[in-house]
Amino acid sequence: MPPTADLPGFLHNVAPILDSWGYLAIGGVIVVESFGVPAPGQTIMVAGSIYAGAGRMNIFLVALISFVTAVIGDNIGYWIGLRGGRKIVHRWGKYIFVTPARLEKAEQFFARRGNRIIVVARFIDGLRQLNGVIAGITRMPWKTFLLYNAIGAALWVGWWCTVAYLLGANLVPIMGRAHEYRWSIIGVLGAALAIYVSLHVRHVRRRRARSAQLALEESQSQA
């Protein structure tokens, strides 16, 4: 394995465990993070992908292990939530920094967004660790959770493994530059979203108007 210096910035923190345990470290950290433990799962996956880009690990194994353990960990969280629910979280959650307030906030966010939040939960810190537990507490059907969770894990792993593998040690400086322009980026994305919503609303109104016109013409022809 490479020395710690090969990993930039915040990735230094996971270098020792990755150097010592390799793929086992990636799988172990991701699986425990996925059922609520505040472990650096995403960080170690990115670090492993950078190692792979340097030829010191296999990117396909990094991605496969990350995906499988993410799904397994979330399903462990789901069954914890389903079987024990809030009682377990309220009693033992403080030991893994899952406070009742944090759980309630995550659960409210989850309830507002519905099943689709499962797909994007992997990209949101806090929900990434709790989405399985919350799905279990709210008694989401397991097959539905499994499907959305697998899709979310695939997107999460695919994005970060690809980006880290291709950019390598340049990832952190690039992220730093992107952070400098975050408000410009948010503004552009917000404008794009507003345009999309406006066009979508206009399309829906036109479709409804056409449907109403057709219904009126049909009623008049039958009169």
Side-chain angles (χ1 to χ4, degrees):
M1 286 295 175
T4 299
D6 283 354
L7 287 176
F10 64 94
L11 299 178
H12 284 171
N13 295 331
V14 300
I17 184 174
L18 189 57
D19 291 342
S20 299
W21 298 96
Y23 298 108
L24 184 61
I26 296 173
V29 173
I30 289 177
V31 77
V32 298
E33 180 196 47
S34 298
F35 63 81
V37 178
Q42 181 168 287
T43 302
I44 201 167
M45 178 177 65
V46 168
S49 300
I50 292 176
Y51 275 15
R56 296 181 172 104
M57 297 186 85
N58 185 301
I59 189 59
F60 297 106
L61 279 178
V62 171
L64 178 62
I65 291 170
S66 298
F67 171 75
V68 171
T69 52
V71 172
I72 290 173
D74 275 343
N75 276 272
I76 293 173
Y78 175 88
W79 290 106
I80 290 174
L82 185 68
R83 298 302 181 186
R86 287 183 190 80
K87 185 176 180 180
I88 288 179
V89 175
H90 285 182
R91 183 173 181 180
W92 304 105
K94 61 184 178 181
Y95 297 108
I96 55 173
F97 307 106
V98 182
T99 63
R102 184 184 178 194
L103 176 64
E104 182 180 357
K105 183 177 179 180
E107 190 174 356
Q108 289 173 355
F109 186 77
F110 185 95
R112 290 197 303 270
R113 299 301 187 274
N115 295 345
R116 289 173 295 180
I117 193 60
I118 295 295
V119 175
V120 300
R122 276 270 153 200
F123 294 88
I124 303 173
D125 190 42
L127 283 182
R128 182 168 62 251
Q129 294 85 358
L130 293 176
N131 94 89
V133 174
I134 297 170
I137 289 175
T138 57
R139 298 191 174 275
M140 174 184 288
W142 177 72
K143 290 183 179 179
T144 300
F145 171 75
L146 181 63
L147 173 62
Y148 283 100
N149 177 53
I151 294 172
L155 293 173
W156 177 67
V157 170
W159 167 258
W160 282 113
C161 284
T162 300
V163 169
Y165 178 76
L166 294 177
L167 296 181
N170 295 317
L171 176 62
V172 173
I174 290 174
M175 289 176 65
R177 294 288 294 176
H179 183 73
E180 292 179 12
Y181 298 100
R182 64 189 183 281
W183 294 115
S184 298
I185 294 172
I186 291 172
V188 171
L189 293 176
L193 179 61
I195 292 172
Y196 169 78
V197 170
S198 177
L199 293 174
H200 179 70
V201 169
R202 185 180 302 178
H203 172 72
V204 170
R205 287 177 177 173
R206 287 177 177 175
R207 187 174 60 186
R208 289 177 178 175
R210 286 196 298 267
S211 298
Q213 182 64 30
L214 289 174
L216 178 60
E217 291 175 357
E218 184 178 349
S219 64
Q220 288 176 346
S221 64
Q222 292 176 353

PDB file of all heavy atoms in Angstrom, residues 162-200:
ATOM      1  N   THR A 162     -15.882   6.792  -9.634  1.00  0.00           N
ATOM      2  CA  THR A 162     -15.456   7.281 -10.944  1.00  0.00           C
ATOM      3  C   THR A 162     -14.696   8.591 -10.830  1.00  0.00           C
ATOM      4  O   THR A 162     -13.613   8.759 -11.400  1.00  0.00           O
ATOM      5  CB  THR A 162     -16.672   7.464 -11.874  1.00  0.00           C
ATOM      6  OG1 THR A 162     -17.339   6.212 -12.031  1.00  0.00           O
ATOM      7  CG2 THR A 162     -16.237   7.980 -13.236  1.00  0.00           C
ATOM      8  N   VAL A 163     -15.274   9.550 -10.080  1.00  0.00           N
ATOM      9  CA  VAL A 163     -14.645  10.862  -9.937  1.00  0.00           C
ATOM     10  C   VAL A 163     -13.276  10.739  -9.259  1.00  0.00           C
ATOM     11  O   VAL A 163     -12.278  11.316  -9.722  1.00  0.00           O
ATOM     12  CB  VAL A 163     -15.556  11.815  -9.135  1.00  0.00           C
ATOM     13  CG1 VAL A 163     -14.804  13.083  -8.748  1.00  0.00           C
ATOM     14  CG2 VAL A 163     -16.793  12.172  -9.955  1.00  0.00           C
ATOM     15  N   ALA A 164     -13.210   9.985  -8.158  1.00  0.00           N
ATOM     16  CA  ALA A 164     -11.948   9.854  -7.426  1.00  0.00           C
ATOM     17  C   ALA A 164     -10.911   9.085  -8.233  1.00  0.00           C
ATOM     18  O   ALA A 164      -9.726   9.416  -8.216  1.00  0.00           O
ATOM     19  CB  ALA A 164     -12.194   9.162  -6.083  1.00  0.00           C
ATOM     20  N   TYR A 165     -11.356   8.086  -8.955  1.00  0.00           N
ATOM     21  CA  TYR A 165     -10.433   7.282  -9.772  1.00  0.00           C
ATOM     22  C   TYR A 165      -9.817   8.122 -10.885  1.00  0.00           C
ATOM     23  O   TYR A 165      -8.619   8.047 -11.158  1.00  0.00           O
ATOM     24  CB  TYR A 165     -11.187   6.093 -10.358  1.00  0.00           C
ATOM     25  CG  TYR A 165     -10.360   5.210 -11.263  1.00  0.00           C
ATOM     26  CD1 TYR A 165      -9.433   4.308 -10.735  1.00  0.00           C
ATOM     27  CD2 TYR A 165     -10.515   5.263 -12.645  1.00  0.00           C
ATOM     28  CE1 TYR A 165      -8.678   3.490 -11.557  1.00  0.00           C
ATOM     29  CE2 TYR A 165      -9.763   4.449 -13.483  1.00  0.00           C
ATOM     30  CZ  TYR A 165      -8.853   3.570 -12.934  1.00  0.00           C
ATOM     31  OH  TYR A 165      -8.103   2.751 -13.763  1.00  0.00           O
ATOM     32  N   LEU A 166     -10.644   8.944 -11.529  1.00  0.00           N
ATOM     33  CA  LEU A 166     -10.168   9.741 -12.662  1.00  0.00           C
ATOM     34  C   LEU A 166      -9.354  10.961 -12.220  1.00  0.00           C
ATOM     35  O   LEU A 166      -8.364  11.316 -12.856  1.00  0.00           O
ATOM     36  CB  LEU A 166     -11.355  10.194 -13.517  1.00  0.00           C
ATOM     37  CG  LEU A 166     -12.125   9.077 -14.240  1.00  0.00           C
ATOM     38  CD1 LEU A 166     -13.315   9.655 -14.994  1.00  0.00           C
ATOM     39  CD2 LEU A 166     -11.215   8.298 -15.184  1.00  0.00           C
ATOM     40  N   LEU A 167      -9.771  11.594 -11.133  1.00  0.00           N
ATOM     41  CA  LEU A 167      -9.094  12.817 -10.699  1.00  0.00           C
ATOM     42  C   LEU A 167      -7.919  12.553  -9.768  1.00  0.00           C
ATOM     43  O   LEU A 167      -7.005  13.367  -9.684  1.00  0.00           O
ATOM     44  CB  LEU A 167     -10.092  13.754 -10.011  1.00  0.00           C
ATOM     45  CG  LEU A 167     -11.224  14.279 -10.895  1.00  0.00           C
ATOM     46  CD1 LEU A 167     -12.119  15.222 -10.095  1.00  0.00           C
ATOM     47  CD2 LEU A 167     -10.675  14.999 -12.123  1.00  0.00           C
ATOM     48  N   GLY A 168      -7.978  11.438  -9.039  1.00  0.00           N
ATOM     49  CA  GLY A 168      -6.872  11.087  -8.160  1.00  0.00           C
ATOM     50  C   GLY A 168      -6.596  12.143  -7.115  1.00  0.00           C
ATOM     51  O   GLY A 168      -7.504  12.721  -6.510  1.00  0.00           O
ATOM     52  N   ALA A 169      -5.320  12.442  -6.911  1.00  0.00           N
ATOM     53  CA  ALA A 169      -4.914  13.401  -5.885  1.00  0.00           C
ATOM     54  C   ALA A 169      -5.374  14.816  -6.199  1.00  0.00           C
ATOM     55  O   ALA A 169      -5.305  15.697  -5.331  1.00  0.00           O
ATOM     56  CB  ALA A 169      -3.392  13.374  -5.712  1.00  0.00           C
ATOM     57  N   ASN A 170      -5.826  15.065  -7.430  1.00  0.00           N
ATOM     58  CA  ASN A 170      -6.316  16.404  -7.785  1.00  0.00           C
ATOM     59  C   ASN A 170      -7.735  16.652  -7.290  1.00  0.00           C
ATOM     60  O   ASN A 170      -8.237  17.772  -7.410  1.00  0.00           O
ATOM     61  CB  ASN A 170      -6.295  16.581  -9.310  1.00  0.00           C
ATOM     62  CG  ASN A 170      -4.880  16.554  -9.864  1.00  0.00           C
ATOM     63  OD1 ASN A 170      -3.977  17.153  -9.294  1.00  0.00           O
ATOM     64  ND2 ASN A 170      -4.672  15.831 -10.953  1.00  0.00           N
ATOM     65  N   LEU A 171      -8.379  15.615  -6.743  1.00  0.00           N
ATOM     66  CA  LEU A 171      -9.774  15.741  -6.330  1.00  0.00           C
ATOM     67  C   LEU A 171      -9.973  16.829  -5.281  1.00  0.00           C
ATOM     68  O   LEU A 171     -10.866  17.667  -5.399  1.00  0.00           O
ATOM     69  CB  LEU A 171     -10.283  14.398  -5.787  1.00  0.00           C
ATOM     70  CG  LEU A 171     -11.717  14.391  -5.222  1.00  0.00           C
ATOM     71  CD1 LEU A 171     -12.718  14.757  -6.308  1.00  0.00           C
ATOM     72  CD2 LEU A 171     -12.041  13.033  -4.616  1.00  0.00           C
ATOM     73  N   VAL A 172      -9.146  16.834  -4.243  1.00  0.00           N
ATOM     74  CA  VAL A 172      -9.319  17.792  -3.150  1.00  0.00           C
ATOM     75  C   VAL A 172      -9.121  19.240  -3.615  1.00  0.00           C
ATOM     76  O   VAL A 172      -9.946  20.108  -3.301  1.00  0.00           O
ATOM     77  CB  VAL A 172      -8.399  17.449  -1.965  1.00  0.00           C
ATOM     78  CG1 VAL A 172      -8.447  18.547  -0.906  1.00  0.00           C
ATOM     79  CG2 VAL A 172      -8.812  16.113  -1.353  1.00  0.00           C
ATOM     80  N   PRO A 173      -8.044  19.559  -4.370  1.00  0.00           N
ATOM     81  CA  PRO A 173      -7.927  20.937  -4.879  1.00  0.00           C
ATOM     82  C   PRO A 173      -9.106  21.354  -5.750  1.00  0.00           C
ATOM     83  O   PRO A 173      -9.566  22.499  -5.669  1.00  0.00           O
ATOM     84  CB  PRO A 173      -6.626  20.902  -5.691  1.00  0.00           C
ATOM     85  CG  PRO A 173      -5.833  19.796  -5.098  1.00  0.00           C
ATOM     86  CD  PRO A 173      -6.843  18.767  -4.690  1.00  0.00           C
ATOM     87  N   ILE A 174      -9.592  20.437  -6.575  1.00  0.00           N
ATOM     88  CA  ILE A 174     -10.730  20.753  -7.438  1.00  0.00           C
ATOM     89  C   ILE A 174     -11.973  21.019  -6.605  1.00  0.00           C
ATOM     90  O   ILE A 174     -12.736  21.955  -6.860  1.00  0.00           O
ATOM     91  CB  ILE A 174     -10.982  19.614  -8.442  1.00  0.00           C
ATOM     92  CG1 ILE A 174      -9.845  19.581  -9.471  1.00  0.00           C
ATOM     93  CG2 ILE A 174     -12.331  19.793  -9.149  1.00  0.00           C
ATOM     94  CD1 ILE A 174      -9.904  18.412 -10.413  1.00  0.00           C
ATOM     95  N   MET A 175     -12.180  20.189  -5.569  1.00  0.00           N
ATOM     96  CA  MET A 175     -13.319  20.408  -4.680  1.00  0.00           C
ATOM     97  C   MET A 175     -13.186  21.747  -3.963  1.00  0.00           C
ATOM     98  O   MET A 175     -14.182  22.438  -3.725  1.00  0.00           O
ATOM     99  CB  MET A 175     -13.423  19.258  -3.672  1.00  0.00           C
ATOM    100  CG  MET A 175     -13.869  17.935  -4.282  1.00  0.00           C
ATOM    101  SD  MET A 175     -13.881  16.580  -3.083  1.00  0.00           S
ATOM    102  CE  MET A 175     -15.169  17.131  -1.969  1.00  0.00           C
ATOM    103  N   GLY A 176     -11.943  22.118  -3.613  1.00  0.00           N
ATOM    104  CA  GLY A 176     -11.725  23.404  -2.968  1.00  0.00           C
ATOM    105  C   GLY A 176     -12.079  24.567  -3.882  1.00  0.00           C
ATOM    106  O   GLY A 176     -12.703  25.538  -3.465  1.00  0.00           O
ATOM    107  N   ARG A 177     -11.691  24.458  -5.154  1.00  0.00           N
ATOM    108  CA  ARG A 177     -12.033  25.489  -6.120  1.00  0.00           C
ATOM    109  C   ARG A 177     -13.537  25.570  -6.325  1.00  0.00           C
ATOM    110  O   ARG A 177     -14.116  26.652  -6.425  1.00  0.00           O
ATOM    111  CB  ARG A 177     -11.348  25.196  -7.459  1.00  0.00           C
ATOM    112  CG  ARG A 177      -9.841  25.281  -7.407  1.00  0.00           C
ATOM    113  CD  ARG A 177      -9.356  26.709  -7.276  1.00  0.00           C
ATOM    114  NE  ARG A 177      -9.671  27.514  -8.458  1.00  0.00           N
ATOM    115  CZ  ARG A 177      -9.436  28.800  -8.576  1.00  0.00           C
ATOM    116  NH1 ARG A 177      -8.886  29.455  -7.549  1.00  0.00           N
ATOM    117  NH2 ARG A 177      -9.742  29.457  -9.683  1.00  0.00           N
ATOM    118  N   ALA A 178     -14.166  24.396  -6.393  1.00  0.00           N
ATOM    119  CA  ALA A 178     -15.625  24.373  -6.560  1.00  0.00           C
ATOM    120  C   ALA A 178     -16.310  25.023  -5.364  1.00  0.00           C
ATOM    121  O   ALA A 178     -17.331  25.706  -5.506  1.00  0.00           O
ATOM    122  CB  ALA A 178     -16.109  22.933  -6.736  1.00  0.00           C
ATOM    123  N   HIS A 179     -15.724  24.828  -4.167  1.00  0.00           N
ATOM    124  CA  HIS A 179     -16.302  25.417  -2.959  1.00  0.00           C
ATOM    125  C   HIS A 179     -16.259  26.943  -3.024  1.00  0.00           C
ATOM    126  O   HIS A 179     -17.177  27.619  -2.547  1.00  0.00           O
ATOM    127  CB  HIS A 179     -15.539  24.927  -1.731  1.00  0.00           C
ATOM    128  CG  HIS A 179     -16.102  25.424  -0.435  1.00  0.00           C
ATOM    129  ND1 HIS A 179     -17.281  24.953   0.093  1.00  0.00           N
ATOM    130  CD2 HIS A 179     -15.642  26.366   0.439  1.00  0.00           C
ATOM    131  CE1 HIS A 179     -17.530  25.582   1.236  1.00  0.00           C
ATOM    132  NE2 HIS A 179     -16.551  26.430   1.461  1.00  0.00           N
ATOM    133  N   GLU A 180     -15.228  27.494  -3.646  1.00  0.00           N
ATOM    134  CA  GLU A 180     -15.115  28.949  -3.775  1.00  0.00           C
ATOM    135  C   GLU A 180     -16.248  29.529  -4.615  1.00  0.00           C
ATOM    136  O   GLU A 180     -16.683  30.659  -4.397  1.00  0.00           O
ATOM    137  CB  GLU A 180     -13.769  29.307  -4.415  1.00  0.00           C
ATOM    138  CG  GLU A 180     -12.558  29.010  -3.532  1.00  0.00           C
ATOM    139  CD  GLU A 180     -11.263  29.358  -4.231  1.00  0.00           C
ATOM    140  OE1 GLU A 180     -11.324  30.037  -5.285  1.00  0.00           O
ATOM    141  OE2 GLU A 180     -10.198  28.951  -3.744  1.00  0.00           O
ATOM    142  N   TYR A 181     -16.702  28.752  -5.575  1.00  0.00           N
ATOM    143  CA  TYR A 181     -17.742  29.229  -6.489  1.00  0.00           C
ATOM    144  C   TYR A 181     -19.092  28.582  -6.206  1.00  0.00           C
ATOM    145  O   TYR A 181     -19.954  28.514  -7.066  1.00  0.00           O
ATOM    146  CB  TYR A 181     -17.331  28.948  -7.939  1.00  0.00           C
ATOM    147  CG  TYR A 181     -16.065  29.656  -8.353  1.00  0.00           C
ATOM    148  CD1 TYR A 181     -14.862  28.972  -8.383  1.00  0.00           C
ATOM    149  CD2 TYR A 181     -16.076  31.003  -8.682  1.00  0.00           C
ATOM    150  CE1 TYR A 181     -13.685  29.615  -8.752  1.00  0.00           C
ATOM    151  CE2 TYR A 181     -14.906  31.660  -9.052  1.00  0.00           C
ATOM    152  CZ  TYR A 181     -13.714  30.962  -9.087  1.00  0.00           C
ATOM    153  OH  TYR A 181     -12.559  31.603  -9.449  1.00  0.00           O
ATOM    154  N   ARG A 182     -19.256  28.105  -4.977  1.00  0.00           N
ATOM    155  CA  ARG A 182     -20.455  27.330  -4.657  1.00  0.00           C
ATOM    156  C   ARG A 182     -21.734  28.132  -4.867  1.00  0.00           C
ATOM    157  O   ARG A 182     -22.744  27.589  -5.336  1.00  0.00           O
ATOM    158  CB  ARG A 182     -20.396  26.797  -3.222  1.00  0.00           C
ATOM    159  CG  ARG A 182     -20.383  27.850  -2.130  1.00  0.00           C
ATOM    160  CD  ARG A 182     -20.095  27.225  -0.780  1.00  0.00           C
ATOM    161  NE  ARG A 182     -20.145  28.160   0.325  1.00  0.00           N
ATOM    162  CZ  ARG A 182     -19.155  28.999   0.630  1.00  0.00           C
ATOM    163  NH1 ARG A 182     -18.059  29.015  -0.109  1.00  0.00           N
ATOM    164  NH2 ARG A 182     -19.263  29.817   1.653  1.00  0.00           N
ATOM    165  N   TRP A 183     -21.700  29.452  -4.509  1.00  0.00           N
ATOM    166  CA  TRP A 183     -22.926  30.237  -4.650  1.00  0.00           C
ATOM    167  C   TRP A 183     -23.268  30.472  -6.115  1.00  0.00           C
ATOM    168  O   TRP A 183     -24.442  30.495  -6.490  1.00  0.00           O
ATOM    169  CB  TRP A 183     -22.789  31.567  -3.908  1.00  0.00           C
ATOM    170  CG  TRP A 183     -22.674  31.379  -2.425  1.00  0.00           C
ATOM    171  CD1 TRP A 183     -21.613  31.672  -1.636  1.00  0.00           C
ATOM    172  CD2 TRP A 183     -23.652  30.795  -1.559  1.00  0.00           C
ATOM    173  NE1 TRP A 183     -21.858  31.320  -0.328  1.00  0.00           N
ATOM    174  CE2 TRP A 183     -23.109  30.787  -0.252  1.00  0.00           C
ATOM    175  CE3 TRP A 183     -24.936  30.282  -1.760  1.00  0.00           C
ATOM    176  CZ2 TRP A 183     -23.801  30.293   0.852  1.00  0.00           C
ATOM    177  CZ3 TRP A 183     -25.634  29.785  -0.659  1.00  0.00           C
ATOM    178  CH2 TRP A 183     -25.068  29.796   0.620  1.00  0.00           C
ATOM    179  N   SER A 184     -22.259  30.633  -6.944  1.00  0.00           N
ATOM    180  CA  SER A 184     -22.513  30.765  -8.382  1.00  0.00           C
ATOM    181  C   SER A 184     -23.101  29.475  -8.942  1.00  0.00           C
ATOM    182  O   SER A 184     -24.043  29.496  -9.739  1.00  0.00           O
ATOM    183  CB  SER A 184     -21.212  31.106  -9.117  1.00  0.00           C
ATOM    184  OG  SER A 184     -20.696  32.339  -8.674  1.00  0.00           O
ATOM    185  N   ILE A 185     -22.528  28.358  -8.484  1.00  0.00           N
ATOM    186  CA  ILE A 185     -23.025  27.063  -8.952  1.00  0.00           C
ATOM    187  C   ILE A 185     -24.459  26.847  -8.485  1.00  0.00           C
ATOM    188  O   ILE A 185     -25.325  26.405  -9.255  1.00  0.00           O
ATOM    189  CB  ILE A 185     -22.110  25.931  -8.433  1.00  0.00           C
ATOM    190  CG1 ILE A 185     -20.715  26.059  -9.063  1.00  0.00           C
ATOM    191  CG2 ILE A 185     -22.716  24.573  -8.746  1.00  0.00           C
ATOM    192  CD1 ILE A 185     -19.698  25.106  -8.479  1.00  0.00           C
ATOM    193  N   ILE A 186     -24.724  27.177  -7.208  1.00  0.00           N
ATOM    194  CA  ILE A 186     -26.078  27.033  -6.675  1.00  0.00           C
ATOM    195  C   ILE A 186     -27.042  27.934  -7.439  1.00  0.00           C
ATOM    196  O   ILE A 186     -28.180  27.539  -7.751  1.00  0.00           O
ATOM    197  CB  ILE A 186     -26.102  27.371  -5.166  1.00  0.00           C
ATOM    198  CG1 ILE A 186     -25.354  26.287  -4.379  1.00  0.00           C
ATOM    199  CG2 ILE A 186     -27.537  27.491  -4.656  1.00  0.00           C
ATOM    200  CD1 ILE A 186     -25.151  26.623  -2.919  1.00  0.00           C
ATOM    201  N   GLY A 187     -26.585  29.167  -7.768  1.00  0.00           N
ATOM    202  CA  GLY A 187     -27.439  30.078  -8.528  1.00  0.00           C
ATOM    203  C   GLY A 187     -27.783  29.535  -9.895  1.00  0.00           C
ATOM    204  O   GLY A 187     -28.942  29.604 -10.334  1.00  0.00           O
ATOM    205  N   VAL A 188     -26.786  28.981 -10.578  1.00  0.00           N
ATOM    206  CA  VAL A 188     -27.029  28.402 -11.914  1.00  0.00           C
ATOM    207  C   VAL A 188     -27.985  27.212 -11.822  1.00  0.00           C
ATOM    208  O   VAL A 188     -28.931  27.094 -12.619  1.00  0.00           O
ATOM    209  CB  VAL A 188     -25.695  27.971 -12.557  1.00  0.00           C
ATOM    210  CG1 VAL A 188     -25.948  27.167 -13.834  1.00  0.00           C
ATOM    211  CG2 VAL A 188     -24.845  29.193 -12.870  1.00  0.00           C
ATOM    212  N   LEU A 189     -27.738  26.347 -10.840  1.00  0.00           N
ATOM    213  CA  LEU A 189     -28.619  25.193 -10.671  1.00  0.00           C
ATOM    214  C   LEU A 189     -30.034  25.631 -10.298  1.00  0.00           C
ATOM    215  O   LEU A 189     -31.019  25.058 -10.776  1.00  0.00           O
ATOM    216  CB  LEU A 189     -28.054  24.256  -9.592  1.00  0.00           C
ATOM    217  CG  LEU A 189     -26.747  23.542  -9.939  1.00  0.00           C
ATOM    218  CD1 LEU A 189     -26.254  22.737  -8.750  1.00  0.00           C
ATOM    219  CD2 LEU A 189     -26.934  22.635 -11.147  1.00  0.00           C
ATOM    220  N   GLY A 190     -30.132  26.667  -9.446  1.00  0.00           N
ATOM    221  CA  GLY A 190     -31.450  27.181  -9.069  1.00  0.00           C
ATOM    222  C   GLY A 190     -32.190  27.752 -10.261  1.00  0.00           C
ATOM    223  O   GLY A 190     -33.394  27.525 -10.435  1.00  0.00           O
ATOM    224  N   ALA A 191     -31.459  28.504 -11.108  1.00  0.00           N
ATOM    225  CA  ALA A 191     -32.082  29.074 -12.307  1.00  0.00           C
ATOM    226  C   ALA A 191     -32.536  27.971 -13.251  1.00  0.00           C
ATOM    227  O   ALA A 191     -33.634  28.035 -13.830  1.00  0.00           O
ATOM    228  CB  ALA A 191     -31.087  30.000 -13.009  1.00  0.00           C
ATOM    229  N   ALA A 192     -31.696  26.949 -13.407  1.00  0.00           N
ATOM    230  CA  ALA A 192     -32.063  25.829 -14.273  1.00  0.00           C
ATOM    231  C   ALA A 192     -33.302  25.117 -13.747  1.00  0.00           C
ATOM    232  O   ALA A 192     -34.204  24.740 -14.511  1.00  0.00           O
ATOM    233  CB  ALA A 192     -30.898  24.848 -14.382  1.00  0.00           C
ATOM    234  N   LEU A 193     -33.356  24.952 -12.416  1.00  0.00           N
ATOM    235  CA  LEU A 193     -34.515  24.303 -11.817  1.00  0.00           C
ATOM    236  C   LEU A 193     -35.771  25.146 -12.009  1.00  0.00           C
ATOM    237  O   LEU A 193     -36.843  24.626 -12.328  1.00  0.00           O
ATOM    238  CB  LEU A 193     -34.263  24.066 -10.325  1.00  0.00           C
ATOM    239  CG  LEU A 193     -35.411  23.408  -9.541  1.00  0.00           C
ATOM    240  CD1 LEU A 193     -35.712  22.023 -10.104  1.00  0.00           C
ATOM    241  CD2 LEU A 193     -35.053  23.319  -8.059  1.00  0.00           C
ATOM    242  N   ALA A 194     -35.646  26.467 -11.838  1.00  0.00           N
ATOM    243  CA  ALA A 194     -36.794  27.360 -12.011  1.00  0.00           C
ATOM    244  C   ALA A 194     -37.311  27.310 -13.441  1.00  0.00           C
ATOM    245  O   ALA A 194     -38.528  27.287 -13.682  1.00  0.00           O
ATOM    246  CB  ALA A 194     -36.397  28.789 -11.643  1.00  0.00           C
ATOM    247  N   ILE A 195     -36.391  27.283 -14.410  1.00  0.00           N
ATOM    248  CA  ILE A 195     -36.789  27.201 -15.822  1.00  0.00           C
ATOM    249  C   ILE A 195     -37.510  25.884 -16.091  1.00  0.00           C
ATOM    250  O   ILE A 195     -38.543  25.846 -16.766  1.00  0.00           O
ATOM    251  CB  ILE A 195     -35.557  27.340 -16.729  1.00  0.00           C
ATOM    252  CG1 ILE A 195     -35.002  28.767 -16.627  1.00  0.00           C
ATOM    253  CG2 ILE A 195     -35.913  27.019 -18.180  1.00  0.00           C
ATOM    254  CD1 ILE A 195     -33.676  28.953 -17.333  1.00  0.00           C
ATOM    255  N   TYR A 196     -36.951  24.805 -15.533  1.00  0.00           N
ATOM    256  CA  TYR A 196     -37.583  23.499 -15.730  1.00  0.00           C
ATOM    257  C   TYR A 196     -38.990  23.474 -15.148  1.00  0.00           C
ATOM    258  O   TYR A 196     -39.937  23.003 -15.786  1.00  0.00           O
ATOM    259  CB  TYR A 196     -36.739  22.407 -15.090  1.00  0.00           C
ATOM    260  CG  TYR A 196     -37.446  21.070 -15.018  1.00  0.00           C
ATOM    261  CD1 TYR A 196     -37.545  20.257 -16.138  1.00  0.00           C
ATOM    262  CD2 TYR A 196     -38.038  20.635 -13.825  1.00  0.00           C
ATOM    263  CE1 TYR A 196     -38.211  19.047 -16.086  1.00  0.00           C
ATOM    264  CE2 TYR A 196     -38.704  19.432 -13.762  1.00  0.00           C
ATOM    265  CZ  TYR A 196     -38.787  18.633 -14.891  1.00  0.00           C
ATOM    266  OH  TYR A 196     -39.452  17.436 -14.822  1.00  0.00           O
ATOM    267  N   VAL A 197     -39.137  23.977 -13.919  1.00  0.00           N
ATOM    268  CA  VAL A 197     -40.443  23.988 -13.267  1.00  0.00           C
ATOM    269  C   VAL A 197     -41.430  24.831 -14.066  1.00  0.00           C
ATOM    270  O   VAL A 197     -42.590  24.450 -14.270  1.00  0.00           O
ATOM    271  CB  VAL A 197     -40.325  24.513 -11.820  1.00  0.00           C
ATOM    272  CG1 VAL A 197     -41.714  24.750 -11.213  1.00  0.00           C
ATOM    273  CG2 VAL A 197     -39.533  23.527 -10.968  1.00  0.00           C
ATOM    274  N   SER A 198     -40.969  25.996 -14.546  1.00  0.00           N
ATOM    275  CA  SER A 198     -41.831  26.884 -15.331  1.00  0.00           C
ATOM    276  C   SER A 198     -42.309  26.206 -16.607  1.00  0.00           C
ATOM    277  O   SER A 198     -43.499  26.247 -16.946  1.00  0.00           O
ATOM    278  CB  SER A 198     -41.071  28.167 -15.665  1.00  0.00           C
ATOM    279  OG  SER A 198     -41.856  29.010 -16.478  1.00  0.00           O
ATOM    280  N   LEU A 199     -41.395  25.555 -17.313  1.00  0.00           N
ATOM    281  CA  LEU A 199     -41.760  24.862 -18.547  1.00  0.00           C
ATOM    282  C   LEU A 199     -42.686  23.682 -18.269  1.00  0.00           C
ATOM    283  O   LEU A 199     -43.631  23.424 -19.032  1.00  0.00           O
ATOM    284  CB  LEU A 199     -40.497  24.387 -19.270  1.00  0.00           C
ATOM    285  CG  LEU A 199     -39.589  25.481 -19.835  1.00  0.00           C
ATOM    286  CD1 LEU A 199     -38.314  24.868 -20.402  1.00  0.00           C
ATOM    287  CD2 LEU A 199     -40.324  26.281 -20.907  1.00  0.00           C
ATOM    288  N   HIS A 200     -42.421  22.994 -17.169  1.00  0.00           N
ATOM    289  CA  HIS A 200     -43.256  21.843 -16.822  1.00  0.00           C
ATOM    290  C   HIS A 200     -44.677  22.291 -16.476  1.00  0.00           C
ATOM    291  O   HIS A 200     -45.658  21.681 -16.918  1.00  0.00           O
ATOM    292  CB  HIS A 200     -42.642  21.096 -15.648  1.00  0.00           C
ATOM    293  CG  HIS A 200     -43.440  19.912 -15.200  1.00  0.00           C
ATOM    294  ND1 HIS A 200     -43.548  18.761 -15.954  1.00  0.00           N
ATOM    295  CD2 HIS A 200     -44.190  19.696 -14.076  1.00  0.00           C
ATOM    296  CE1 HIS A 200     -44.314  17.894 -15.328  1.00  0.00           C
ATOM    297  NE2 HIS A 200     -44.713  18.438 -14.185  1.00  0.00           N
TER     298      HIS A 200
END
